[in-house]
Amino acid sequence: MIRINDIIDKITEYHPDADLDIIDRAYIYSARVHDGQVRLSGEPYLSHPLEVAGILADMKLDVVSVAAGLLHDVVEDTHASIEEINEMFGKDVSHIVSGVTKLSVLPFSSGSQARQAESIRKMILAMADDIRVILIKLADRLHNMRTLKFHSPKKKVKIARETLDIYAPIAGRLGIYWMKEELEDTSFMYLQPEEYSKIENYVRKDKEEGEQYIETVKSIIKKKMDERNLNCEVLGRYKYFYSIYKKMISQNLEFEEVYDIIAFRIILDTIPQCYEALGLIHSLWKPVAKKFKDYIGVPKPNMYQSLHTTVIGPFGER
């Protein structure tokens, strides 16, 4: 379990001048009002607000957000009132806690149709007039998904469905892709355990060889960029499980036919450098026709900007 000192250490690292008093007070208050409450896992209830605050600190949010994370469910789950929160922690914290509380009582019907799910996502985004409300709600959902195994089978499916339909797309819309991926993969694991296991086994078999492949290709890319004095970071990764599954279903493919299980990302300082790096990659390996997308010239709706290309790599793989 994460401790309050771990959270304070994280904040001090990215915000050395932060006023940590509000974090200490929020922690003590949360511990007092949650005293005696226990989660389904058997852990003290306080473990949940601490984990949520830890996720927010990992995201380098301000002290008001982290304090609100520690207090996000006190109005819903204890005798605490918004008036008391306002008096003790100020209007910013109480406004955020109030916003998270309102989202928590929204009625969701399970198995939402796509259009209905989109309406609920829009309603959530419209209700939250402070983006920090959404970020805390996402952190709350992320920790709940990490501890979903302690619920009944029926509840697991309901929460996983809601997460896949509502919360993962919101994380994607905000550009928080690591969170979107974890929410999708965990939901997938509970909604379709057999398919999840199948893909997990495929990837595991492939992985040992793949890790070596990733390192080799990364070093080739880095060398090419260095030759042109392009300062960059090169990352290699496996596509996450739900993404593989979606591709298999939408394109009617077997696992072996999904060619971009492994992808590489080159992060550079400027837009012109991105186009120059693309040219270098295309001079190094043959690009695949119709597999290029310019999201810098035409950004995604959430303003994601990057260049995507598929090439025939050093060992004849896409």
Side-chain angles (χ1 to χ4, degrees):
M1 185 171 103
I2 193 167
R3 297 166 311 144
I4 190 65
N5 290 348
D6 302 327
I7 294 167
I8 286 170
D9 288 347
K10 285 177 188 177
I11 296 169
T12 309
E13 212 171 284
Y14 65 81
H15 190 350
D17 304 324
D19 176 9
L20 298 169
D21 174 59
I22 195 170
I23 304 289
D24 284 326
R25 290 189 296 111
Y27 169 66
I28 291 163
Y29 182 85
S30 188
R32 181 162 63 77
V33 295
H34 283 304
D35 188 38
Q37 293 182 340
V38 178
R39 279 175 71 79
L40 289 174
S41 60
E43 289 181 309
Y45 193 90
L46 185 65
S47 64
H48 174 63
L50 272 170
E51 291 289 346
V52 169
I55 292 165
L56 299 170
D58 285 337
M59 293 165 76
K60 297 182 167 56
L61 295 192
D62 62 321
V63 288
V64 167
S65 303
V66 180
L70 285 164
L71 301 165
H72 76 276
D73 51 7
V74 294
V75 174
E76 191 187 354
D77 293 332
T78 76
H79 56 73
S81 69
I82 277 296
E83 292 71 32
E84 195 175 4
I85 301 295
N86 188 38
E87 199 177 302
M88 294 180 72
F89 301 99
K91 68 176 189 333
D92 277 359
V93 171
S94 67
H95 182 74
I96 294 168
V97 171
S98 172
V100 177
T101 305
K102 284 173 188 160
L103 292 186
S104 298
V105 295
L106 276 180
F108 293 109
S109 58
S110 57
S112 306
Q113 296 302 307
R115 190 179 295 172
Q116 189 189 358
E118 175 60 14
S119 300
I120 294 169
R121 291 196 294 270
K122 280 181 178 162
M123 183 164 62
I124 288 173
L125 291 167
M127 277 175 69
D129 56 359
D130 186 323
I131 191 66
R132 294 174 293 187
V133 171
I134 302 287
L135 297 175
I136 290 169
K137 189 65 199 164
L138 288 173
D140 167 62
R141 179 52 59 120
L142 186 65
H143 182 243
N144 282 333
M145 289 304 289
R146 288 173 179 174
T147 54
L148 196 59
K149 63 182 177 191
F150 299 105
H151 284 278
S152 68
K154 195 175 173 186
K155 195 83 186 279
K156 282 180 201 168
V157 168
K158 179 183 181 295
I159 294 170
R161 183 81 263 159
E162 187 182 286
T163 301
L164 195 60
D165 289 347
I166 310 293
Y167 291 104
I170 289 175
R173 193 169 292 183
L174 296 177
I176 314 170
Y177 283 98
W178 66 268
M179 189 183 274
K180 174 183 186 277
E181 290 171 8
E182 186 176 336
L183 289 173
E184 286 185 341
D185 265 3
T186 315
S187 300
F188 178 40
M189 181 172 76
Y190 287 106
L191 292 171
Q192 289 171 284
E194 284 177 21
E195 294 296 334
Y196 179 91
S197 294
K198 228 188 282 182
I199 290 173
E200 187 182 31
N201 288 335
Y202 285 142
V203 170
R204 195 185 292 126
K205 265 189 280 183
D206 206 43
K207 213 159 191 176
E208 205 167 300
E209 223 172 276
E211 297 293 354
Q212 185 54 52
Y213 174 83
I214 286 174
E215 289 311 311
T216 304
V217 175
K218 268 168 65 177
S219 64
I220 296 171
I221 294 172
K222 189 77 175 80
K223 185 168 178 277
K224 191 75 175 170
M225 299 298 140
D226 287 346
E227 283 170 10
R228 294 294 285 267
N229 297 317
L230 281 177
N231 181 34
C232 69
E233 185 184 356
V234 183
L235 305 167
R237 59 115 181 106
Y238 266 81
K239 216 177 182 69
Y240 63 108
F241 297 168
Y242 184 63
S243 173
I244 295 170
Y245 173 73
K246 272 201 307 191
K247 185 158 264 194
M248 286 167 65
I249 294 300
S250 66
Q251 297 181 21
N252 196 20
L253 304 170
E254 292 299 318
F255 178 82
E256 293 75 14
E257 297 171 295
V258 181
Y259 60 81
D260 58 348
I261 298 292
I262 293 174
F264 296 87
R265 181 176 292 154
I266 307 170
I267 302 171
L268 300 112
D269 293 328
T270 69
I271 286 174
Q273 286 176 350
C274 291
Y275 287 100
E276 189 180 346
L278 176 78
L280 290 176
I281 292 295
H282 284 180
S283 70
L284 191 60
W285 298 308
K286 186 180 168 60
V288 177
K290 297 182 182 168
K291 278 296 187 183
F292 169 67
K293 293 192 180 83
D294 185 341
Y295 291 121
I296 291 178
V298 186
K300 287 189 177 186
N302 68 354
M303 297 312 294
Y304 169 88
Q305 288 184 285
S306 139
L307 303 170
H308 289 199
T309 187
T310 301
V311 295
I312 306 297
F315 307 106
E317 292 184 23
R318 289 185 178 201

